[in-house]
Amino acid sequence: MDKTPAPIFRKKQPPIPSSSAIPSSSPAFGTPVHPLKPFAVNAPKAAILPIILPPPTLRPLAFRTFTKKHSLTLTSSALQELAAFIGRHCGSGWREEGLAERVLEEVARSWKNSNGGVIVEGSSKELQSILKTLEGNMSGGRITGPGRGLPRGDSMLDLKDDDVLNTRLGLRPNVLTRENSNRSFGMSGLDVQEEPEDEENRSDPRAWLKVVNAYEQPRLCYNVDKKHFEKDTSAPSLLPPASHKTTVFRNRYNVIHQRLLRNESFQTSAVSSSRKRNLQRSLSNQQSLKLTPIANLLGRHGSNHMLLGLLVLLPTGDLAISDLTGTIALDLAQAVSIPEDSAWFCPGMIVLVDGVYEEEEESVGKGLSGSSGVGGTLGGRFQGFFIGQPPCEKRKATLGISSPDGGHEQVIGGGFGWIDFLGVGSERAVGNKMRKLERRLLPRRTLEDNAPSRCRIVILGELNLDQPRALQALRKILSIYASEPEGSSPLSFILTGNFTQYAVMARGGSGGSIEYKEYFDALASALSDFPTLLQSSTFVFVPGDNDGWVSSFTAGASVPLPRKPVPDMFTSRIRRAFATANAEAGGQSDGTAIWTSNPSRLSLFGPNHELVVFRDDVSARLRRTSVHLKPKNSRPEASDEPSTQQSDRLEEPSATDAMDVDTAAPIDTDPSSPSIPYDIHTAQKLVKTILDQGYLAPFRQPIRPVHWDYASALHLYPLPTAMVLVDTTAPTFCVTYEGCHVMNPGSVLVPGRKGVGRWIEYEIGGADLKAVDEEGI
């Protein structure tokens, strides 16, 4: 029998209060029986009726968002992917409600964050990942909730649960955080803000000085299809597979090839080609140059061509030139350099050769030089008449800026302004802001102002610590700067190796690892005598071939580049000296000692100033391995007409502006050419060779080994604003070539002159390059 009472006899429950009722904090009121219902933070997704959106219909909106606003190029495949995504998730309201514009804005910002490059490809993994992440945060055609890995935007604010509850109650959220959309361009790494939080800490220019280690520098590779530099995301290794050696050559060749195609001498004019028949004589000296791939020489016996390739040595010992399509034997018996005696030519360099192809039945060195045909060694030989270095490109042209002030309003077409070559920010992203900051912190000096400037870098050459006179010279040099007024100390001191004359770690000379550490302990004692400099300057130490650890098995021979810094176990006392000096200042100073790689780079104010520091005896290695060419004056005067035309053709791209030489440096005169001092000519020849190659080690691998996965750190593209090439086998010089200041301080101790120390002082603010200073010890 059912004993359940009738509904009218049941005990009534008290009514449930409304969920919007807010409990009072007064003790007169009790806590509600039923707790408040939590707010529904995640609202149900509204239904969207998908549509098929044709890509041409979306093209105007996508062009306005990607190209005009974010300077990105959208391919047809990427436009098709975006049209399908917007049609599926935004429906028919993609245009009227502005849903598509918000989605395109978020995708463009996310693409910049992922450093995807200028060209947006539809098949790229980055775009697929962005769309997949965005799909999980779409509701009713709108972007809701925090986006994982998405850039900043009003719709993508990172709100916590408490902030959502406060927003529903009509209160302002406590914290609104958002990511920086310019992280891929280095903005977050430089801490660039419109209003700095701590203006006093940023008033010192040294706060914007950054030392870039070669092993920390971004590894970039040129993509020929996209005509753009891409970041290599694979893990680097000191023992990579053999295929990476080919990648090093391919990247070097592609960078120089695209640099040549940007040169005016290699650009075809449509006007001159259309009027070529009528004005052939007047335009004979203005013909554009054309490069011929080696594989295209087959079947073209006796024709004139210009080749761009790598000088190599065949197993038979003969010279050959090689590019990405093949190799051919090279005869330089009758070749002359253009301009005459202006650069070195060694195996391992990429050069321009102009001459005639002579076809033969059998290839030179058959059986040793490879297979015939495309991709191997071609039959016959290439008779070179003129050889020259590929002309380098100024830094402004590479980055796409037309004036020193830069800025978006002065940006010229082309260039790689959006590429962050050093990890400190790109020219287009932070260049203009860094220039404004530089003008505020480093004002221009007048001619009447003789006070020492803060914006100086003191460069000391090779410092052999096993020579007692070297520490005396160092003390004398540091005492000069320590006596200057307070606040005018140089920004940085650069000390380079070899820190010992011989490879002590390999038992060269006398001593071993214990003596090697004692040398640095003596250096720490010398630096401790100048605490004001340790507190206000950054000391950078660049090792040489005789420094540890790598010299322990090379015994002073050429070590693979880039080489790592001196181990910490030998430099601990020097770091302790800096810590002691900073402690004496009460924690108000932050002087540092940085032991970096060889080569290394110094960046000041982001991409505005780049200083390359490289320690190597390049001049001696060039003289040992160079190719002997025929002197131009010994060429017979009666030459045929085609050879004369080829000379004019090659001379045009190889001609460069005259180098500015610091005449205050000591020079020697060559008796054979009294009009040009011998030391100046040697310096110009060395500088032109290195900068035209755009590579710090343009030699064969057995002559100068290179770590294949870190070879991008040896590239000089774009040209740095200044370069310190410490070469004790070359005369000291200060030369400016194509806007790049190249300096060689040599050794601190001048050979054959007792009581004399030598160094270079480079002033940044006024772009002044001072002479090699010498002071009695």
Side-chain angles (χ1 to χ4, degrees), residues 227-246:
K227 301 186 185 306
H228 184 72
F229 283 92
E230 294 182 343
K231 188 175 181 180
D232 189 359
T233 57
S234 61
S237 173
L238 295 180
L239 298 174
S243 60
H244 290 203
K245 181 180 180 180
T246 308

Side-chain angles (χ1 to χ4, degrees), residues 269-289:
S269 176
V271 177
S272 62
S273 60
S274 62
R275 301 180 180 179
K276 183 177 181 181
R277 297 180 180 178
N278 299 330
L279 303 175
Q280 185 174 3
R281 295 182 179 179
S282 61
L283 296 177
S284 60
N285 295 329
Q286 301 178 11
Q287 295 178 358
S288 61
L289 304 179

Side-chain angles (χ1 to χ4, degrees), residues 372-386:
S372 301
V374 179
T377 302
L378 273 67
R381 65 173 182 173
F382 190 80
Q383 180 68 46
F385 295 117
F386 306 99

Side-chain angles (χ1 to χ4, degrees), residues 630-692:
K630 180 181 179 180
K632 191 174 183 180
N633 53 12
S634 64
R635 187 178 48 173
E637 296 181 359
S639 58
D640 52 355
E641 184 178 355
S643 299
T644 305
Q645 293 179 356
Q646 295 295 330
S647 175
D648 296 337
R649 290 176 56 194
L650 188 56
E651 187 173 2
E652 183 177 356
S654 299
T656 53
D657 299 334
M659 298 187 188
D660 298 332
V661 184
D662 193 340
T663 57
I667 56 177
D668 296 333
T669 303
D670 185 9
S672 61
S673 58
S675 59
I676 301 178
Y678 175 74
D679 285 356
I680 292 180
H681 175 69
T682 303
Q684 292 178 344
K685 194 173 181 180
L686 173 62
V687 170
K688 177 177 172 57
T689 302
I690 298 298
L691 296 189
D692 283 350

